[in-house]
Amino acid sequence: MAFFSNKKSDTDIHKLNIPKHIGIIMDGNGRWAKKRHLPRSSGHTQGAKVFRKIARYCSDIGVEYLTVYAFSTENWKRPDEEVNSLMRLFKEYLNEALRDFKDDSIVVRFIGDKAPFSKELQELMIKNEEESKSRDGMVLNIAMNYGSRDELVRAVKNISQNVKDGSMDIDKIDEATVSNFLYTANQPDPDLIIRPSGEYRISNFLLWQSAYSEFVIMNTLWPDFTTDDLDEAIRIFNNRNRRFGGV
Ligand code: IPE
Ligand code: IPE
Ligand code: MG
């Protein structure tokens, strides 16, 4: 099966093995807007609508964990106007749309460093986490100001601190220890990572966790992404032979 695909298929999704954890790099909003001679912010607005739909669809088909990349540690480099419009959009979402997830019993978590966001946004993120934590549905990790290198540096610092103050034995540090110091502690690694918009790179997303993830790159730009595209990615995933280093 090709690494790259954009073909549509009519396979019944319910007959397929649904990945337990899916990661999505929601990319292509700017190009979508450019093609329509619209400001980049309208691509982000459309992308946010798609996010809402796809998250609920994943929950409906039985995905247990969904991690979406919404804003990277590197995205602060964008022009102020774009960053400001993204912050406005996040605020709107955290105020309204995330309430929808209540009907689907979705647990909302934010992964990444909240500190650089405004106090208002930070409070909204915490409120969403608190309100949803006792639900029993899909876990939705929204990666905001997330960077995998930053996550690993933070883990190294926290582990070092524990060794320094004597609460951790250096000889007992293993792979599970590192996993437990990441934002995704206690969650399974992603089985499938989807990148729309045709870019063949990871852009600092889940470096440690994706060691054995299957990657599906799709040409569709995120604001055009549909539930059929998600079905197609899952179908491709079903045709992969995961060996994890074995035979
Ligand atoms: C992804 O779309 C959204 C964010 C990174 C916030 P882009 O804004 O990167 O869209 P392109 O890649 O420029 O088309
Ligand atoms: C990755 O997309 C980050 C998000 C989708 C939030 P980018 O558009 O920032 O990645 P690059 O710059 O193309 O690698
Ligand atoms: Mg991009």
Side-chain angles (χ1 to χ4, degrees):
M1 179 52 61
F3 182 63
F4 186 102
S5 176
N6 228 21
K7 278 200 319 286
K8 295 279 176 286
S9 124
D10 50 12
T11 315
D12 180 1
I13 190 73
H14 298 289
K15 291 192 185 128
L16 298 175
N17 165 29
I18 302 295
K20 196 169 183 170
H21 185 170
I22 298 181
I24 305 180
I25 301 176
M26 304 189 292
D27 196 18
N29 297 352
R31 279 163 282 173
W32 181 91
K34 194 171 179 203
K35 261 172 59 183
R36 286 164 180 75
H37 308 286
L38 293 169
R40 290 178 61 88
S41 60
S42 62
H44 297 313
T45 306
Q46 185 58 30
K49 286 190 188 139
V50 170
F51 152 67
R52 193 163 167 176
K53 188 163 170 205
I54 296 296
R56 298 183 89 180
Y57 182 69
C58 284
S59 155
D60 287 348
I61 63 172
V63 173
E64 291 177 41
Y65 296 85
L66 173 67
T67 302
V68 292
Y69 206 4
F71 192 83
S72 77
T73 45
E74 288 74 42
N75 287 148
W76 297 103
K77 309 183 186 154
R78 296 187 178 198
D80 287 352
E81 193 194 332
E82 181 167 350
V83 171
N84 292 339
S85 77
L86 280 164
M87 296 304 137
R88 272 196 303 276
L89 190 64
F90 292 150
K91 202 169 84 188
E92 208 177 291
Y93 252 74
L94 295 178
N95 268 320
E96 300 164 21
L98 290 180
R99 264 181 234 144
D100 285 7
F101 294 146
K102 198 172 175 184
D103 304 333
D104 300 78
S105 288
I106 295 175
V107 179
V108 181
R109 298 190 63 254
F110 293 91
I111 63 169
D113 180 7
K114 293 184 181 78
F117 293 111
S118 69
K119 199 160 177 279
E120 190 185 6
L121 259 179
Q122 290 186 46
E123 283 169 4
L124 279 168
M125 288 192 244
I126 293 164
K127 187 166 163 249
N128 272 281
E129 290 182 327
E130 287 297 318
E131 278 179 13
S132 69
K133 72 177 181 204
S134 54
R135 294 182 196 153
D136 59 0
M138 181 181 83
V139 174
L140 171 64
N141 297 311
I142 306 178
M144 296 252 287
N145 187 32
Y146 174 85
S148 216
R149 288 183 168 186
D150 182 65
E151 177 182 42
L152 286 162
V153 168
R154 185 177 161 272
V156 169
K157 282 186 179 163
N158 288 334
I159 292 170
S160 308
Q161 188 60 52
N162 285 347
V163 171
K164 197 172 156 196
D165 67 24
S167 59
M168 195 180 265
D169 177 351
I170 200 162
D171 295 322
K172 297 223 169 86
I173 297 173
D174 58 12
E175 292 185 8
T177 315
V178 176
S179 294
N180 283 330
F181 276 81
L182 303 179
Y183 292 116
T184 49
N186 302 316
Q187 299 188 7
D189 287 336
D191 304 290
L192 166 65
I193 293 186
I194 304 169
R195 184 158 191 164
S197 92
E199 303 292 0
Y200 283 75
R201 57 178 170 266
I202 189 102
S203 303
N204 208 5
F205 186 55
L206 305 179
L207 299 179
W208 172 276
Q209 299 90 330
S210 67
Y212 274 103
S213 303
E214 294 297 326
F215 281 87
V216 173
I217 313 285
M218 304 179 93
N219 260 339
T220 318
L221 301 171
W222 177 250
D224 288 326
F225 200 87
T226 63
T227 54
D228 283 346
D229 292 312
L230 193 93
D231 288 357
E232 174 65 1
I234 294 176
R235 195 186 63 74
I236 295 167
F237 170 79
N238 273 251
N239 287 319
R240 296 275 174 87
N241 180 10
R242 301 182 81 188
R243 284 185 291 274
F244 300 97
V247 284

